Amino acid sequence: MSNRNTAAWQAADAAHFLHPFTDFKALADKGSRIVTRADDIYLWDSEGAKILDAMSGLWCVNVGYGQRTLIDAATRQLEQLPFYNAFFQTATPPAIELAQRLAEVTPPSFNHVFFAGSGSEGNDTIVRMVRRYWDIAGRPQRKVIIGRINGYHGSTMAGASLGGMAAMHAQGGLPIPDIVHIDQPYWRPHEDGPSRGLTRDEFGLVAARWLEAKIEEIGADRVAAFIGEPIQGAGGVIIPPATYWPEIERICRRHDILLVSDEVICGFGRTGRWFGCETMGYTPDLMTFAKGVTSGYIPLGGVMVGDRVARALIDEGGEFEHGYTYSGHPVACAVALANLELIQQRRLVEHVHDDVGPYLAAHYARLAEHPLVGSAETCGLMGALRLVQDKARGTPFAPEIGIGMVCRGHCFAEGLIMRAVGDRMIVAPPLVMTRAQVDEMVALIRRCLDLTLEDARRAGWLA
Ligand code: PXG
């Protein structure tokens, strides 16, 4: 790779590289930030600026950057066998060993895995697999999959369809047939809407019963599955009320509908348990994973297949006409094995659950007192702050102000990666983070909130 200065990188970038989820022209005019190296929880850009990465890359670098054992595992596997496929009655040792390890770390009903290259591909596999399952079960009319508004399940045709992002559906004729959505369990008791005046737990039951209403509208005999993220990530770290998921599970069981947990963000320790469904108290039939399985060092995703679906596919299904070139890529699987080993050896799940998770929660309870913050919530090492115009009444800012982007601008300048989703400022930092680093992150967050508050006062945006 050549050694160029920032302007040269930006010029070549603008000339040739179409970035994901990007207004190409606007970015070309502005110029990308060029990230050149990383260590632990920090990044450095081509200007030498140090940045605290409170988003773990993109919700994935759970073990932090620069972990030698992952790097060595990749190097060794590249030398030994850089690629071989898993089609045609073959397999490679890293893929077999990873399948076995995943069965060990997932809930007891999960003993099989189907590998893919990403979370989106994993969710494409979900669509194929649940529909295939019902074919095998002699109920081929069960085709409809129910997702949620503001859910995110990837950007392929199936992934974007399962997700409930209106802007994505508006481009390319989505969703594909037989995918429908219910509203999200986002508790906003001070605003007009379905949660006004309800307690958090009351609203959790109301929101779960939207699923039952949708099933009854469609007819249970046509519904194949429900899919959701334990905590909606890209949608703004929407932590559902504690009553929500157990009720969803009850409804799925009652109508004999497969329950799919998209663990792409919540999996591998993020919420303080190995999987988000364990934190939220339900047992799904299928789980999508990606990101944290390799801590993002190399692409890998897939589907954990629970015994009910696995038995049907194996015992009665014949050939499953589905798979990817990189299903079970040996280098990706070798990195995943080293990653799981590190998570266990460093006791990172326990670290989140018992130490830094509660520590972050205590900090967020204090951030909730900031004049700009309407609500502050965490689960494990995921956190969200909602910026509001009138703290006493919980009134949101007018969307045109783009308050989140104003705050994000300050984060960018202050060396903190914190994301804005509308008026919600979200973090999901690496699980290796120490208490001192949580302090450092929260001090940066506070500073950016103060700067945003100054802007809001100056511009007259406050109530
Ligand atoms: N499911 C979930 C829950 C995700 O968060 C995917 C599936 C798709 O994974 P791949 O590997 O195909 O990207 C994701 C991805 C954001 C953002 O803006 C989030 C994701 C991807 C890109 C941006 O927060 N999550």
Side-chain angles (χ1 to χ4, degrees), residues 21 55 58-59 118-121 123 152-155 229 233-234 262 264-265 290-291 419:
F21 282 92
M55 281 308 298
L58 197 50
W59 317 86
S118 66
S120 299
E121 284 183 5
N123 281 325
Y152 189 82
H153 299 294
S155 198
E229 307 153 74
D262 184 334
V264 168
I265 284 178
K291 295 190 189 275
R419 284 224 8 205

Side-chain angles (χ1 to χ4, degrees), residues 242-260:
T243 48
Y244 180 76
W245 274 111
E247 181 68 2
I248 289 280
E249 183 175 33
R250 184 194 67 76
I251 292 166
C252 289
R253 299 292 162 241
R254 168 146 186 255
H255 296 279
D256 198 24
I257 282 160
L258 295 175
L259 175 53
V260 184

Side-chain angles (χ1 to χ4, degrees), residues 84-304:
Y84 199 71
N85 71 65
F87 292 54
F88 320 126
Q89 306 174 33
T90 56
T92 62
I96 299 169
E97 205 169 313
L98 180 60
Q100 191 173 20
R101 295 289 295 114
L102 286 170
E104 286 163 14
V105 299
T106 47
S109 56
F110 289 93
N111 292 295
H112 296 85
V113 61
F114 195 99
F115 288 117
S118 66
S120 299
E121 284 183 5
N123 281 325
D124 275 53
T125 298
I126 289 281
V127 173
R128 303 281 317 272
M129 199 177 268
V130 299
R131 290 182 177 165
R132 178 69 193 136
Y133 169 81
W134 287 114
D135 284 347
I136 297 167
R139 311 287 295 278
Q141 71 284 8
R142 279 195 183 254
K143 289 244 171 353
V144 177
I145 303 175
I146 303 174
R148 297 181 301 177
I149 289 167
N150 210 31
Y152 189 82
H153 299 294
S155 198
T156 52
M157 294 292 281
S161 295
L162 294 169
M165 298 293 184
M168 292 175 77
H169 291 174
Q171 297 181 359
L174 301 178
I176 57 173
D178 287 335
I179 294 179
V180 300
H181 301 85
I182 59 171
D183 206 352
Q184 58 181 340
Y186 184 7
W187 184 60
R188 283 166 288 186
H190 306 300
E191 288 163 59
D192 283 339
S195 55
R196 189 187 257 294
L198 297 183
T199 66
R200 203 178 155 87
D201 282 352
E202 285 166 353
F203 174 63
L205 293 177
V206 167
R209 286 171 194 156
W210 294 333
L211 175 61
E212 191 138 52
K214 183 58 88 178
I215 292 167
E216 279 160 8
E217 176 194 321
I218 297 165
D221 58 343
R222 288 191 53 227
V223 180
F226 172 74
I227 184 168
E229 307 153 74
I231 295 171
Q232 289 181 321
V237 181
I238 311 293
I239 303 170
T243 48
Y244 180 76
W245 274 111
E247 181 68 2
I248 289 280
E249 183 175 33
R250 184 194 67 76
I251 292 166
C252 289
R253 299 292 162 241
R254 168 146 186 255
H255 296 279
D256 198 24
I257 282 160
L258 295 175
L259 175 53
V260 184
S261 192
D262 184 334
E263 299 277 351
V264 168
I265 284 178
C266 293
F268 304 99
R270 171 64 55 200
T271 67
R273 300 287 299 269
W274 272 91
F275 292 90
C277 58
E278 296 169 298
T279 298
M280 293 292 150
Y282 63 99
T283 307
D285 297 295
L286 296 151
M287 300 198 293
T288 321
F289 65 88
K291 295 190 189 275
V293 68
T294 57
S295 284
Y297 278 47
I298 194 162
L300 179 67
V303 171
M304 288 306 301

Side-chain angles (χ1 to χ4, degrees), residues 185-460:
Y186 184 7
W187 184 60
R188 283 166 288 186
H190 306 300
E191 288 163 59
D192 283 339
S195 55
R196 189 187 257 294
L198 297 183
T199 66
R200 203 178 155 87
D201 282 352
E202 285 166 353
F203 174 63
L205 293 177
V206 167
R209 286 171 194 156
W210 294 333
L211 175 61
E212 191 138 52
K214 183 58 88 178
I215 292 167
E216 279 160 8
E217 176 194 321
I218 297 165
D221 58 343
R222 288 191 53 227
V223 180
F226 172 74
I227 184 168
E229 307 153 74
I231 295 171
Q232 289 181 321
V237 181
I238 311 293
I239 303 170
T243 48
Y244 180 76
W245 274 111
E247 181 68 2
I248 289 280
E249 183 175 33
R250 184 194 67 76
I251 292 166
C252 289
R253 299 292 162 241
R254 168 146 186 255
H255 296 279
D256 198 24
I257 282 160
L258 295 175
L259 175 53
V260 184
S261 192
D262 184 334
E263 299 277 351
V264 168
I265 284 178
C266 293
F268 304 99
R270 171 64 55 200
T271 67
R273 300 287 299 269
W274 272 91
F275 292 90
C277 58
E278 296 169 298
T279 298
M280 293 292 150
Y282 63 99
T283 307
D285 297 295
L286 296 151
M287 300 198 293
T288 321
F289 65 88
K291 295 190 189 275
V293 68
T294 57
S295 284
Y297 278 47
I298 194 162
L300 179 67
V303 171
M304 288 306 301
V305 186
D307 291 340
R308 173 179 176 181
V309 174
R311 286 273 56 93
L313 290 170
I314 296 164
D315 297 340
E316 301 159 55
E319 181 165 338
F320 184 42
E321 306 278 346
H322 175 70
Y324 309 105
T325 300
Y326 300 128
S327 288
H329 193 292
V331 181
C333 292
V335 172
L337 282 166
N339 180 59
L340 297 186
E341 173 77 34
L342 189 65
I343 292 173
Q344 283 179 318
Q345 188 206 325
R346 300 264 307 259
R347 298 179 57 78
L348 290 180
V349 182
E350 295 81 359
H351 175 66
V352 172
H353 188 269
D354 302 331
D355 187 11
V356 279
Y359 191 68
L360 180 71
H363 264 302
Y364 264 54
R366 288 193 291 278
L367 282 175
E369 289 158 21
H370 191 279
L372 211 50
V373 173
S375 68
E377 297 167 271
T378 68
C379 179
L381 281 194
M382 293 171 97
L385 301 168
R386 186 162 189 226
L387 308 186
V388 291
Q389 189 211 24
D390 181 338
K391 190 177 175 73
R393 293 198 182 81
T395 322
F397 281 98
E400 312 81 78
I401 292 174
I403 193 71
M405 293 309 279
V406 174
C407 185
R408 201 193 73 167
H410 289 300
C411 299
F412 210 92
E414 297 295 316
L416 170 68
I417 306 260
M418 173 161 68
R419 284 224 8 205
V421 179
D423 55 13
R424 296 175 72 78
M425 301 307 301
I426 62 178
V427 294
L431 311 187
V432 290
M433 199 173 215
T434 63
R435 285 184 176 220
Q437 289 172 328
V438 174
D439 294 342
E440 183 189 344
M441 177 179 78
V442 171
L444 279 167
I445 292 173
R446 197 173 277 284
R447 175 163 172 70
C448 295
L449 290 173
D450 289 343
L451 291 168
T452 309
L453 182 63
E454 277 174 35
D455 290 343
R457 286 205 173 112
R458 214 174 300 125

